[in-house]
Amino acid sequence: MAAAAECDVVMAATEPELLDDQEAKREAETFKEQGNAYYAKKDYNEAYNYYTKAIDMCPKNASYYGNRAATLMMLGRFREALGDAQQSVRLDDSFVRGHLREGKCHLSLGNAMAACRSFQRALELDHKNAQAQQEFKNANAVMEYEKIAETDFEKRDFRKVVFCMDRALEFAPACHRFKILKAECLAMLGRYPEAQSVASDILRMDSTNADALYVRGLCLYYEDCIEKAVQFFVQALRMAPDHEKACIACRNAKALKAKKEDGNKAFKEGNYKLAYELYTEALGIDPNNIKTNAKLYCNRGTVNSKLRKLDDAIEDCTNAVKLDDTYIKAYLRRAQCYMDTEQYEEAVRDYEKVYQTEKTKDRHSGASAEVQKEEEKKFKEVGEAFTILSDPKKKTRYDSGQDLDEEGMNMGDFDPNNIFKAFFGGPGGFSFEASGPGNFFFQFG
């Protein structure tokens, strides 16, 4: 009797469980069908919700995980999708679409080797599967782009690296590693806004990404915003204390800032020899920092001009404009040195370059009286050089060291509007009027 009672109890307990299991499967299938409907309408958020409900009802069904993985992929959530795809093939290793989705997630995240393994497994199960064949080729292409980029980075062929990363990102759009490498190379090429944009996009998704913090700092560093750059390098090192590139860049940035400031201090104190030594030491810290080095060369050129080493000053200013051909201060400094060494044609060329740049910018329209006075002074220097060059007699006398002021050489000897036309091919938006003997001021149209 006891045995019979025990058997009844077991049967009574088992039957409802079986019924509940069947009911759960039916309900899960309903949720899946609803998810499919939303997926077809491209409402991926709702599709995700219904696939999740299906999984909650039947957590051992591989296809439900596969469907949710597909939905997460459409939402760009590849890391979460990878987890679902991997779970689907753990539950059913013969699930071809599960292996395809796992491979696609690996590839999108930049792990091409793992992607190849997944696509190979899909081909083992279905050797004629066209999608698996194509994706396998794509994964191999990404590995090849990575290999080429690594070699070219060592060669400092940054344009080629950017090209390779752009091609790789077509197949791996969610790969932060590829994006960071591209951004770093863009920074090395001086394309700072593009590099900053890439790094900022990553930081919006992951504010603790040390590589992205490093690239942000690198852009600021190369744009001569050294203090801000150090802040980003320090933050990157907080996230990843062993980040070698951030460590080196931080050290260089601090050293450059200190040497430049010490050089400026020595210059202001009139210790030109020490200033020269400090600027020279600063120039040896990082040859890649073009903007800062251009300023250092110009600063050292100023020191050399104070020391009356005018040829050295000209060479320093030339190095400055080679690094930054928009650096007006270096052109003006060099032009003055050319004037002081009686190289008038070269001086006029530099002043012409300055005024072509200024005309393009039109930056002095509506300028203050102080700025206009400075511009007047600069143009008078051009006028002096032009007067000498245009008068062989005066040029000969000047070259021989005679004082041309004795001959009455002043700004009345030339028409600045004519010189402006000679320089710029037309009156442009500027005109000049006399405000007294030898004095002119700007008017802007």
Side-chain angles (χ1 to χ4, degrees):
M1 290 289 293
E6 185 175 349
C7 186
D8 289 339
V9 170
V10 171
M11 290 178 65
T14 302
E15 188 173 358
E17 287 179 6
L18 290 172
L19 289 173
D20 288 345
D21 187 53
Q22 292 299 320
E23 182 63 30
K25 286 182 179 179
R26 284 195 294 273
E27 194 167 351
E29 278 296 304
T30 301
F31 287 140
K32 185 196 80 169
E33 293 302 325
Q34 288 176 295
N36 290 348
Y38 281 112
Y39 188 95
K41 292 190 291 186
K42 299 184 179 181
D43 188 344
Y44 301 117
N45 287 308
E46 277 302 304
Y48 171 84
N49 291 335
Y50 279 99
Y51 290 141
T52 299
K53 289 178 182 179
I55 288 170
D56 290 341
M57 297 302 296
C58 287
K60 298 294 179 70
N61 189 303
S63 68
Y64 297 166
Y65 287 98
N67 286 5
R68 192 168 72 174
T71 302
L72 287 166
M73 289 166 69
M74 297 305 295
L75 291 169
R77 293 157 62 179
F78 292 101
R79 210 163 287 282
E80 295 172 73
L82 176 61
D84 274 353
Q86 288 173 326
Q87 179 62 10
S88 75
V89 297
R90 275 195 292 268
L91 292 169
D92 181 3
D93 186 54
S94 65
F95 185 29
V96 174
R97 280 184 294 179
H99 287 292
L100 286 171
R101 286 164 187 161
E102 181 186 6
K104 189 68 173 176
C105 289
H106 277 308
L107 186 56
S108 295
L109 292 165
N111 192 344
M113 190 173 291
C116 280
R117 289 195 293 267
S118 295
F119 297 136
Q120 281 176 324
R121 179 57 184 149
L123 288 169
E124 288 170 8
L125 296 167
D126 179 6
H127 70 278
K128 292 183 179 181
N129 190 293
Q131 184 184 353
Q133 291 170 353
Q134 184 58 54
E135 294 292 2
F136 184 74
K137 290 179 182 177
N138 293 344
N140 277 288
V142 169
M143 285 195 287
E144 185 63 22
Y145 285 129
E146 281 189 84
K147 184 179 176 181
I148 295 170
E150 184 179 351
T151 301
D152 287 327
F153 189 87
E154 291 298 320
K155 294 178 181 177
R156 301 183 66 78
D157 188 349
F158 301 120
R159 292 183 190 280
K160 187 79 171 289
V161 179
V162 170
F163 173 82
C164 288
M165 289 301 94
D166 279 338
R167 300 291 78 73
L169 283 164
E170 291 174 4
F171 303 113
C175 182
H176 286 181
R177 184 164 47 88
F178 293 169
K179 290 178 181 179
I180 288 293
L181 180 56
K182 174 185 175 180
E184 183 177 357
C185 290
L186 287 171
M188 299 302 286
L189 291 167
R191 294 161 64 179
Y192 306 121
E194 295 171 75
Q196 291 252 33
S197 177
V198 174
S200 296
D201 286 345
I202 292 172
L203 288 170
R204 274 192 286 272
M205 293 181 279
D206 177 11
S207 62
T208 65
N209 189 298
D211 292 325
L213 290 167
Y214 160 71
V215 170
R216 282 293 308 275
L218 194 66
C219 291
L220 290 165
Y221 173 62
Y222 285 150
E223 289 181 291
D224 197 40
C225 301
I226 294 179
E227 195 167 338
K228 288 183 180 179
V230 169
Q231 294 173 6
F232 276 96
F233 294 144
V234 169
Q235 194 175 350
L237 289 167
R238 285 200 192 104
M239 299 299 111
D242 296 329
H243 199 294
E244 186 178 356
K245 289 182 178 179
C247 185
I248 293 171
C250 190
R251 184 168 64 243
N252 286 345
K254 287 180 177 179
L256 261 181
K257 183 174 183 290
K259 288 289 183 187
K260 185 180 177 185
E261 288 177 352
D262 288 346
N264 293 347
K265 183 173 181 289
F267 180 84
K268 287 176 183 176
E269 292 172 352
N271 192 343
Y272 300 131
K273 183 179 178 182
L274 177 59
Y276 178 90
E277 291 172 357
L278 289 166
Y279 289 141
T280 301
E281 289 173 13
L283 282 165
I285 291 172
D286 184 2
N288 295 318
N289 195 320
I290 292 171
K291 287 273 188 183
T292 302
N293 288 343
K295 291 183 178 179
L296 288 168
Y297 271 120
C298 189
N299 286 0
R300 196 173 73 174
T302 303
V303 171
N304 277 323
S305 71
K306 291 289 185 181
L307 295 169
R308 304 310 295 168
K309 296 180 179 179
L310 296 177
D311 288 339
D312 290 343
I314 289 170
E315 184 180 355
D316 277 340
C317 292
T318 298
N319 285 328
V321 298
K322 280 181 181 176
L323 292 176
D324 181 2
D325 64 0
T326 66
Y327 193 13
I328 296 299
K329 186 177 179 181
Y331 285 110
L332 290 173
R333 171 61 58 192
R334 188 173 67 175
Q336 183 59 59
C337 291
Y338 280 140
M339 291 286 288
D340 291 342
T341 55
E342 303 176 9
Q343 299 179 67
Y344 307 116
E345 291 183 25
E346 288 82 357
V348 169
R349 267 201 303 270
D350 276 354
Y351 284 125
E352 180 181 2
K353 172 70 175 180
V354 171
Y355 276 89
Q356 284 174 340
T357 304
E358 296 296 282
K359 187 178 81 164
T360 300
K361 292 179 181 177
D362 198 19
R363 56 187 260 196
H364 295 296
S365 180
S368 67
E370 183 180 352
V371 171
Q372 288 190 17
K373 186 176 181 181
E374 180 64 24
E375 293 304 300
E376 174 193 339
K377 178 184 174 184
K378 292 174 188 174
F379 202 81
K380 283 172 70 177
E381 291 172 351
V382 182
E384 290 172 10
F386 190 88
T387 299
I388 293 167
L389 289 171
S390 62
D391 188 326
K393 181 179 176 182
K394 289 180 179 178
K395 186 176 187 303
T396 300
R397 289 177 62 78
Y398 203 103
D399 288 345
S400 67
Q402 298 183 50
D403 188 353
L404 291 179
D405 284 340
E406 295 176 1
E407 295 295 315
M409 190 197 90
N410 56 42
M411 293 294 282
D413 291 333
F414 75 101
D415 181 348
N417 285 305
N418 289 339
I419 295 174
F420 194 90
K421 290 175 184 177
F423 283 167
F424 306 128
F430 300 84
S431 65
F432 302 85
E433 291 185 3
S435 58
N439 295 318
F440 291 82
F441 63 90
F442 288 89
Q443 286 189 334
F444 300 86

